Amino acid sequence: MPTLFDAPGARFPRPSREVASGVVHLPDWLPLGEQAALVGEARGIARSVAGTPLAMTRPQLRSGQMSVHILSLGQHWATNPYRYVTSVDGVPVPPIPASFHDLAARALADAASLSPSLAAWSGKYRAEAALVNYYAPESTMGMHQDANELSEAPVISLSIGDTGIFRLGNTENRNRPWVDVPLLSGDLIIFGGEHRRAFHGVPRIEADTAPEGCGLDRGRINITIRQVAL
Ligand SMILES: O=C(O)CCC(=O)C(=O)O
Ligand SMILES: [Fe+2]
């Protein structure tokens, strides 16, 4: 066990665990090389849609403009009203890359032993929409529910770059009780089961914490993979 007297930079142990019923955190899940490959792939797609209606952008919400940039794959998360669409102004949404499908299948298989409600989805999950969120160090995401998917299938969420504080709340409202889980580069969190519709958000990014070699110098990328239809 690390103590106060350990060398600076020594990390506290972070076991894989079920944070709340149906919510599994797998720290250091993806190796740095694979993180960098995913960032490269996402960057390539973002460049390919720049200047189109599907360009990575900060969506305008009822509550104001988001500080997070979002790129939609598979299906586009549209606002006003909130819904998923397969094209915008006749331009089709770029497909979800094979690497993301592979990641989703591996994630569920790895989480299965820690949560029976997640285990139920292993082998039958369909990755239909993936959102690539980019957080500059000042960005935050307010407490919200992921509620535009008809399916109760879990949301698979991978973090790359700077550490983000993931706030997992309750299913009733945006207030306490909540638990804050720091998500480091390479961490995976899967939320489903009883907490599939729990409020959650990202109140803070810890600037300059991205590890060398993750593919991102500044800020944080979060990739969420979702099954939309029943
Ligand atoms: O960035 C995160 O960890 C959470 C993202 C999120 O909640 C979302 O995309 O709906
Ligand atoms: Fe969310």
Side-chain angles (χ1 to χ4, degrees):
M1 275 296 257
T3 71
L4 275 177
F5 306 101
D6 282 323
R11 285 226 203 136
F12 216 71
R14 302 186 308 137
S16 294
R17 64 188 178 115
E18 191 176 40
V19 177
S21 177
V23 184
V24 164
H25 178 206
L26 302 176
D28 301 317
W29 183 75
L30 197 71
L32 278 174
E34 289 186 52
Q35 295 174 40
L38 283 179
V39 173
E41 208 162 10
R43 200 175 266 140
I45 301 169
R47 285 193 178 139
S48 75
V49 294
T52 80
L54 288 157
M56 195 161 193
T57 189
R58 293 168 46 208
Q60 193 67 48
L61 306 185
R62 289 187 286 256
S63 51
Q65 189 174 19
M66 292 182 76
S67 57
V68 174
H69 284 76
I70 305 182
L71 171 71
S72 293
L73 305 175
Q75 296 186 35
H76 172 73
W77 181 66
T79 58
N80 194 24
Y82 301 143
R83 67 204 186 281
Y84 285 98
V85 296
T86 53
S87 67
V88 177
D89 299 341
V91 182
V93 181
I96 298 179
S99 55
F100 287 36
H101 285 283
D102 177 57
L103 183 150
R106 278 160 53 201
L108 282 171
D110 288 354
S113 64
L114 292 168
S115 166
S117 54
L118 295 184
W121 289 96
S122 197
K124 51 172 130 151
Y125 190 84
R126 296 191 314 273
E128 294 171 329
L131 304 184
V132 180
N133 296 319
Y134 175 72
Y135 295 75
E138 317 70 46
S139 301
T140 59
M141 192 180 284
M143 294 296 274
H144 66 278
Q145 293 169 298
D146 288 4
N148 298 122
E149 304 80 15
L150 291 174
S151 174
E152 290 293 323
V155 173
I156 298 165
S157 163
L158 176 73
S159 295
I160 302 175
D162 284 344
T163 298
I165 307 302
F166 181 74
R167 179 162 289 174
L168 175 69
N170 62 80
T171 51
E172 303 297 316
N173 58 49
R174 290 181 166 72
N175 308 324
R176 286 186 162 84
W178 60 52
V179 52
D180 283 352
V181 183
L183 296 179
L184 278 62
S185 199
D187 282 15
L188 189 75
I189 195 156
I190 305 186
F191 58 98
E194 286 175 36
H195 284 84
R196 175 60 182 78
R197 308 289 177 188
F199 283 87
H200 60 278
V202 178
R204 187 159 49 86
I205 301 294
E206 296 184 340
D208 299 321
T209 52
E212 192 84 29
C214 73
L216 206 60
D217 291 339
R218 181 177 187 272
R220 167 177 186 257
I221 280 182
N222 169 262
I223 299 174
T224 53
I225 300 176
R226 300 133 190 269
Q227 176 173 326
V228 177
L230 290 173

